Every structure is written in C-alpha cells, then in structure tokens.
C-alpha cells in the first residue's frame, strides 16, 4: 500500500451552488511528494476553491481527485484529515497560549516539537521575545500580533502535525520577500518528502516551485517552471510585470 501523498486532479469541474458558470473547469494536474506545486492567478481565478477541494470542503461536479490513487470521495474523512495540513487564507488563532494554539490538531505534541515547528515557520524569534515564550497568551484571535506573525503561527500549527500533504492558501502574503523565501526554504528542508501545494498571487512565492500552474478564470492557462513560463506564457508574464 502506497502512502506517498501524491495528489492528482483528473478533469475536475466544480460549480458553486446556484452559480451559472463553473468556478473550476477541466482541471488536471499531479502534485508529487518532495516537490512544491504552486498555483498562481489573479484574484477570483479559483485558487482557494481548488485548494479547498482537497480536504473536501467542496466535492467535484465531474472528474475526480485522487490521493495515492484513491478517490478522496471513497476515503474516510478521518484518514483524509490526517494526511492533510491545510493552512487557510485567514489564520485561525484562538484565545489561549501559543502552545495551546500549536497543539490544536495534535494534543500530544511535545514542547520540543512545537519549538521545531516554530523554528521552521520563522516564528521562534518573535515568540521567544515574549517573556512567557510559548506560554504567552494570544488575545482575541491574535489581535496583539501582526498579520505576518499570525500567518507564521498558522503555518507552524500545520507543521506540528507533520502531515504528508501541505496546503497553503496565500499563507505567505503578509510576509516580506526575505522571510517568505526563508520560510519556504526551511519548509522544504524540514518536510523533505511532503507534498506541498501553495496558492499565491505574487511571483516571489511561487518562483522556486518545481511546478507552477497558472490559473485563469477557472482554467489552467499554463504549467511549467518560473523560467519556462516567463518564456512562453503571456498570463504569467503579465503577473510578473504587474
Ligand atoms: P483570491 O483568494 O482573491 O486570490 O481568489 P481565488 O483565486 O482564490 O478565487 P476563489 O476560489 O476564492 O473564488 C473564485 C470564484 O468563486 C470567485 O468568483 C468567487 O466570487 C467565487 N466564490 C468563492 N466562494 C464562493 C462561495 O462560497 N459561493 C459562491 N457562489 N461563489 C463563491
């Protein structure tokens, strides 16, 4: 039995209830373990929707999504959930200590595991600056944190669980370019064999990915590396120069 974390979209079409047009149409691609697959496209292209179909927040209208060859609709929800670390666009932090927030999804995580995850997520420094470290309390969903700090804690929380598949929905958007790059490099190193899928609007976040998918109005407008797309994809060129 293979349990590698290969994510495969086969001709996936999806439409929100009551919508005239599908938000995703004929989407096919494979995201492989040990690689980063990035999805870039303008706002409204369908990136978040695409990502949310993997944990089954939405089910396909036609086509299929497979993980290691198994249709996710035939998988137990608990099995699926264990495989996936989904980091939503808006960080979901609750009132409580940083440690409690980090243990959400893995109660039994040790302090060391939490520290390792924070380190990878480039969150150690600002957490350690607080007198109470991981025992410091977050108020009102992290009101006392910057947007970038919230994103990093949200990423660290996913790392604590050590899933096979990471799904990042614009999780790097509030970070400066240097931190964005550093974090993704650390992520790659620390999660070596995981499948990473990143949705983003800016080129800096996707340029190092092994595979970049250009999504335009719900359809794939191109697939390639940064260099390849720079050479042959007008939509990608537009995103780069905007
Ligand atoms: P950004 O997050 O702005 O970068 O956009 P995106 O590329 O992630 O697009 P997203 O998947 O969020 O949305 C794609 C399209 O689906 C847009 O036209 C949205 O208005 C529409 N949409 C998103 N969520 C819903 C929903 O819950 N119901 C309906 N009917 N439409 C939705």
């Amino acid at each position: 039995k293979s349990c590698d974390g290969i994510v495969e979209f086969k001709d996936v079409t999806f439409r929100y209830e009551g919508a005239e047009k599908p938000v995703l149409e004929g989407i096919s691609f494979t995201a492989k373990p040990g690689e980063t697959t990035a999805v870039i496209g303008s706002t409204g292209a369908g990136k978040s929707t695409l990502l949310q179909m993997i944990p089954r927040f939405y089910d396909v209208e036609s086509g299929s999504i497979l993980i290691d060859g198994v249709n996710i609709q035939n998988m137990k929800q608990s099995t699926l959930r264990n495989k996936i670390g989904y980091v939503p666009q808006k960080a979901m932090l609750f009132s409580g200590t940083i440690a409690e927030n980090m243990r959400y999804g893995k109660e039994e995580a040790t302090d060391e595991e939490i520290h390792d995850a924070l380190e990878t997520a480039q969150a150690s420094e600002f957490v350690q600056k607080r007198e109470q470290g991981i025992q410091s309390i977050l108020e009102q969903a992290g009101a006392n944190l910057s947007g970038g700090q919230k994103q990093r804690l949200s990423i660290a929380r996913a790392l604590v669980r050590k899933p096979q598949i990471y799904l990042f929905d614009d999780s790097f958007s509030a970070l400066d370019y240097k931190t964005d790059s550093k974090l993704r490099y650390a992520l790659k190193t620390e999660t070596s064999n995981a499948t990473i899928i990143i949705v983003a609007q800016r080129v800096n976040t996707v340029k190092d990915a092994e595979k970049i998918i250009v999504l335009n109005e719900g359809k794939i407008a191109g697939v390639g590396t940064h260099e390849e797309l720079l050479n042959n994809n007008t939509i990608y060129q537009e995103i780069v120069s905007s």
Side-chain angles (χ1 to χ4, degrees), residues 123-188:
S124 272
E125 216 178 294
F126 72 79
V127 170
Q128 290 316 321
K129 268 198 190 133
R130 291 171 176 246
E131 223 168 279
Q132 318 274 349
I134 60 170
Q135 296 309 329
S136 22
I137 292 180
L138 299 182
E139 276 141 29
Q140 295 179 345
N144 44 354
L145 295 168
S146 75
Q149 289 174 334
K150 280 192 255 189
Q151 284 190 333
R152 282 177 275 174
L153 290 181
S154 189
I155 292 166
R157 175 194 277 158
L159 282 159
V160 167
R161 294 180 50 232
K162 301 188 176 69
Q164 283 174 348
I165 300 162
Y166 287 90
L167 308 175
F168 296 107
D169 191 353
D170 233 346
S171 310
F172 310 92
S173 58
L175 306 176
D176 59 73
Y177 280 19
K178 210 176 126 198
T179 310
D180 176 2
S181 299
K182 239 172 118 177
L183 200 166
R184 282 180 298 96
Y185 180 78
L187 194 69
K188 202 75 200 279

Side-chain angles (χ1 to χ4, degrees), residues 16-17 19 23 41-50 58 89 169-170 199 201 215:
Y16 281 106
E17 212 170 293
V23 48
S42 56
T43 173
K47 306 182 297 297
S48 298
T49 308
L50 183 153
Y58 303 108
Q89 201 167 85
D169 191 353
D170 233 346
V199 152
Q201 275 193 53
L215 197 65

Side-chain angles (χ1 to χ4, degrees), residues 195-206:
T195 303
I196 301 176
I197 305 182
I198 294 179
V199 152
Q201 275 193 53
R202 67 184 197 198
V203 173
N204 185 67
T205 306
V206 306

Side-chain angles (χ1 to χ4, degrees), residues 63-172:
S64 51
I65 302 170
L66 314 177
I67 294 181
D68 298 325
V70 179
N71 190 323
I72 58 171
Q73 288 184 235
N74 300 329
M75 219 177 255
K76 270 214 277 206
Q77 183 54 240
S78 59
T79 307
L80 187 60
R81 204 164 50 234
N82 282 333
K83 288 180 190 290
I84 295 173
Y86 168 66
V87 182
Q89 201 167 85
K90 197 167 173 295
M92 301 285 214
L93 301 169
F94 53 81
S95 305
T97 65
I98 291 177
E100 283 166 344
N101 268 280
M102 293 303 107
R103 288 197 173 95
Y104 183 81
K106 191 181 177 190
E107 284 294 324
E108 69 279 17
T110 63
D111 281 5
E112 199 190 340
E113 286 174 311
I114 291 175
H115 284 295
D116 287 348
L118 290 169
E119 188 76 39
T120 304
Q122 310 299 306
S124 272
E125 216 178 294
F126 72 79
V127 170
Q128 290 316 321
K129 268 198 190 133
R130 291 171 176 246
E131 223 168 279
Q132 318 274 349
I134 60 170
Q135 296 309 329
S136 22
I137 292 180
L138 299 182
E139 276 141 29
Q140 295 179 345
N144 44 354
L145 295 168
S146 75
Q149 289 174 334
K150 280 192 255 189
Q151 284 190 333
R152 282 177 275 174
L153 290 181
S154 189
I155 292 166
R157 175 194 277 158
L159 282 159
V160 167
R161 294 180 50 232
K162 301 188 176 69
Q164 283 174 348
I165 300 162
Y166 287 90
L167 308 175
F168 296 107
D169 191 353
D170 233 346
S171 310
F172 310 92

Side-chain angles (χ1 to χ4, degrees), residues 173-242:
S173 58
L175 306 176
D176 59 73
Y177 280 19
K178 210 176 126 198
T179 310
D180 176 2
S181 299
K182 239 172 118 177
L183 200 166
R184 282 180 298 96
Y185 180 78
L187 194 69
K188 202 75 200 279
T189 320
E190 293 304 316
T191 64
S192 55
N193 262 321
T195 303
I196 301 176
I197 305 182
I198 294 179
V199 152
Q201 275 193 53
R202 67 184 197 198
V203 173
N204 185 67
T205 306
V206 306
K207 66 180 186 335
D208 308 317
E210 278 79 8
K211 183 188 283 177
I212 303 170
I213 295 168
V214 183
L215 197 65
N216 188 47
E217 294 179 12
K219 293 183 187 144
I220 293 183
V223 182
T225 61
H226 175 69
E227 274 70 31
E228 288 163 359
L229 292 168
L230 264 186
N231 277 324
N232 65 23
N233 191 283
T234 49
I235 294 174
Y236 193 74
Q237 288 159 1
E238 274 169 32
I239 297 171
V240 170
S241 57
S242 66

